Amino acid sequence: MHTYPKDIFEKLEFTKIIHLVQEECQGEDGKKYFENISFQTDKTIINTLIDEVDEWKKGIERAMVIPFSQYHNIEEDLFFLSKEGYVLDVESIQKIHVIISLSNKINLYFQEATIQKAMPNVARIAMGINIDGRLSKEIERVFDEEGNVRPNASDALSKLSKAINNKERE
């Protein structure tokens, strides 16, 4: 049961703060998260959140740059990926690869002992990201940095690429 007025967000200008936070979010999922945020009343959770924000702030002050970048929602792509026989388009695979790569960079960043010591709560959250690196390697084996299929992505494609190159030289 809430004991605060319904318009508390407006009275405290909490909506302005939420808007400012949303502008800093790198993806739509982060922005949506803050659309439905509410007050926390559990003292233990509040203290943990304060510690996390304090660590983040101190990290910024110490120029500890966490490797974040923009990303896209891949929920629909993952849904289709779970369907047997469905083949994702290149754009979907690229979006998944961006998130896998970003997750791996963040995880690697927080494996450093000095970072863990300076930001233990934030590191605990980041270290909870577990993604099988084999998927990223397989995507990189098939696609180049621009998202084009590599000519050596498979044996058949490699043979075809060589044949095309031979014909072009002739």
Side-chain angles (χ1 to χ4, degrees):
M1 180 176 169
H2 302 293
T3 57
Y4 48 82
K6 290 181 181 180
D7 63 344
I8 190 78
F9 277 25
E10 287 74 28
K11 284 183 178 181
L12 296 176
E13 295 190 346
F14 193 68
T15 50
K16 289 182 181 179
I17 295 168
I18 295 301
H19 180 71
L20 291 171
V21 171
Q22 285 176 313
E23 287 179 355
E24 297 299 319
C25 291
Q26 296 293 315
E28 289 303 315
D29 290 342
K31 291 176 185 180
K32 286 179 186 175
Y33 172 82
F34 287 100
E35 287 174 4
N36 301 312
I37 198 166
S38 62
F39 288 115
Q40 184 56 254
T41 57
D42 183 295
K43 185 178 178 182
T44 306
I45 294 173
I46 292 169
N47 286 332
T48 301
L49 293 170
I50 289 171
D51 290 344
E52 291 169 2
V53 170
D54 187 52
E55 288 174 13
W56 192 270
K57 180 179 164 269
K58 287 178 181 173
I60 291 170
E61 290 168 354
R62 295 179 189 154
M64 297 172 139
V65 182
I66 298 172
F68 281 125
S69 63
Q70 289 191 342
Y71 63 92
H72 297 281
N73 183 309
I74 60 168
E75 206 170 322
E76 185 176 316
D77 302 309
L78 294 177
F79 171 77
F80 286 120
L81 187 61
S82 69
K83 300 292 180 189
E84 191 173 328
Y86 187 86
V87 178
L88 291 175
D89 59 24
V90 172
E91 184 180 325
S92 295
I93 294 170
Q94 288 173 328
K95 289 191 308 188
I96 291 170
H97 186 248
V98 165
I99 290 187
I100 291 170
S101 298
L102 182 58
S103 299
N104 288 337
K105 287 176 188 173
I106 291 169
N107 193 293
L108 185 64
Y109 178 83
F110 281 102
Q111 286 180 16
E112 190 176 320
T114 55
I115 302 297
Q116 287 181 13
K117 186 176 179 184
M119 304 170 83
N121 289 299
V122 178
R124 178 183 38 79
I125 295 167
M127 296 300 283
I129 301 171
N130 293 311
I131 294 181
D132 189 344
R134 293 177 294 181
L135 180 57
S136 182
K137 287 179 182 162
E138 188 62 19
I139 292 171
E140 289 169 3
R141 185 187 69 74
V142 175
F143 297 97
D144 65 17
E145 295 76 24
E146 288 84 39
N148 300 314
V149 176
R150 293 183 188 274
N152 60 347
S154 70
D155 290 338
L157 200 52
S158 185
K159 288 177 187 175
L160 185 60
S161 180
K162 286 178 185 175
I164 291 171
N165 286 337
N166 288 338
K167 288 293 180 191
E168 285 176 350
R169 274 188 252 134
E170 287 177 13

